[in-house]
Amino acid sequence: AQKITQTQPGMFVQEKEAVTLDCTYDTSDPSYGLFWYKQPSSGEMIFLIYQGSYDQQNATEGRYSLNFQKARKSANLVISASQLGDSAMYFCAMREPGGQNFVFGPGTRLSVLP
Amino acid sequence: DSGVTQTPKHLITATGQRVTLRCSPRSGDLSVYWYQQSLDQGLQFLIQYYNGEERAKGNILERFSAQQFPDLHSELNLSSLELGDSALYFCASSVGGTTNTGELFFGEGSRLTVL
């Protein structure tokens, strides 16, 4: 069964606008971590933001914030004030402590338009 | 710099050949993961090692094998290569452990081209 779902294969956003990338997950473990990674065209995987399942506050890192809705099993990434350099693939991922691996979603390709 | 080192960065070889990809995890990380990313695809989990032992196996072909050595570096061996094996192979590391929910630190990847 798919553990991480990203329903938007591609997204467009105007420069300086905010954009939300969707992610839903499936787990029965009460303790887990949620992550977003960015992969620019150069190929490297860049860690953006982390949310722990017990964290009370939504995670924020600069222009990135994670809209964590635990009951809905949703962990959407919000990028504020988009920049051209934000154009990349974005992967949502989950880690379960008892799980055997680190599960990635299929990704969303974000294109920022000037 | 994530602290994870992968070599080689680029590799071009022919069908039927065998290659070895090497990964040195971040200092202190016990867990190593290998992922395969084909062109414009997501990350496919191949295999995970923790402190020298295989912890989990994903969709890894029988032609592929891996190991983690006592010094914690890991190697991914790909044999009888086919055109479809052309991909970006990532190694990632983390502290590991059954209670850990921390991030993975990725290497820059090894881009394999099979001609």
Side-chain angles (χ1 to χ4, degrees):
Chain A
Q2 188 85 340
K3 289 216 165 190
I4 299 285
T5 303
Q6 295 181 254
T7 57
Q8 307 151 315
M11 289 279 287
F12 290 90
V13 64
Q14 209 68 37
E15 195 178 6
K16 299 179 186 174
E17 297 291 314
V19 62
T20 297
L21 306 184
D22 294 341
C23 172
T24 57
Y25 60 92
D26 182 29
T27 180
S28 56
D29 200 312
S31 176
Y32 51 89
L34 296 162
F35 307 81
W36 279 90
Y37 284 82
K38 171 184 177 181
Q39 187 180 37
S41 57
S42 51
E44 71 268 31
M45 293 289 287
I46 302 168
F47 166 71
L48 294 178
I49 196 166
Y50 163 79
Q51 179 84 44
S53 61
Y54 293 120
D55 293 344
Q56 296 297 313
Q57 305 278 353
N58 284 346
T60 60
E61 288 287 347
R63 294 187 298 111
Y64 304 108
S65 60
L66 200 152
N67 184 1
F68 181 44
Q69 297 187 45
K70 195 170 182 176
R72 297 180 61 186
K73 293 188 176 178
S74 150
N76 299 339
L77 176 71
V78 181
I79 305 175
S80 63
S82 296
Q83 301 173 357
L84 296 178
D86 294 333
S87 293
M89 278 289 283
Y90 289 81
F91 293 97
C92 179
M94 176 175 66
R95 183 173 201 171
E96 298 163 297
Q100 299 300 314
N101 61 26
F102 199 99
V103 182
F104 284 85
T108 295
R109 184 174 296 280
L110 177 67
S111 300
V112 180
L113 306 174
Chain B
D1 183 4
S2 68
V4 178
T5 303
Q6 284 189 251
T7 57
K9 285 188 170 45
H10 300 276
L11 190 56
I12 301 174
T13 189
T15 54
Q17 295 299 304
R18 171 190 169 95
V19 298
T20 297
L21 309 181
R22 194 180 192 279
C23 170
S24 294
R26 276 190 337 152
S27 176
D29 284 355
L30 300 178
S31 197
V32 169
Y33 296 72
W34 286 98
Y35 289 88
Q36 178 193 53
Q37 186 180 35
S38 301
L39 188 63
D40 288 334
Q41 299 293 312
L43 285 90
Q44 298 298 317
F45 170 68
L46 295 179
I47 199 164
Q48 179 203 356
Y49 283 85
Y50 177 73
N51 204 19
E53 295 194 2
E54 183 183 305
R55 175 64 66 87
K57 200 177 253 192
N59 296 324
I60 187 167
L61 300 171
E62 285 190 10
R63 300 183 286 109
F64 296 1
S65 65
Q67 56 183 322
Q68 186 180 28
F69 295 87
D71 67 352
L72 300 177
H73 91 272
S74 178
E75 293 181 357
L76 178 66
N77 300 297
L78 316 174
S79 62
S80 303
L81 285 168
E82 302 175 358
L83 296 178
D85 297 328
S86 295
L88 186 56
Y89 291 84
F90 282 109
C91 169
S93 75
S94 76
V95 172
T98 56
T99 60
N100 178 47
T101 56
E103 72 198 77
L104 288 187
F105 296 88
F106 279 82
E108 293 183 345
S110 293
R111 187 171 296 279
L112 173 66
T113 302
V114 182
L115 301 176

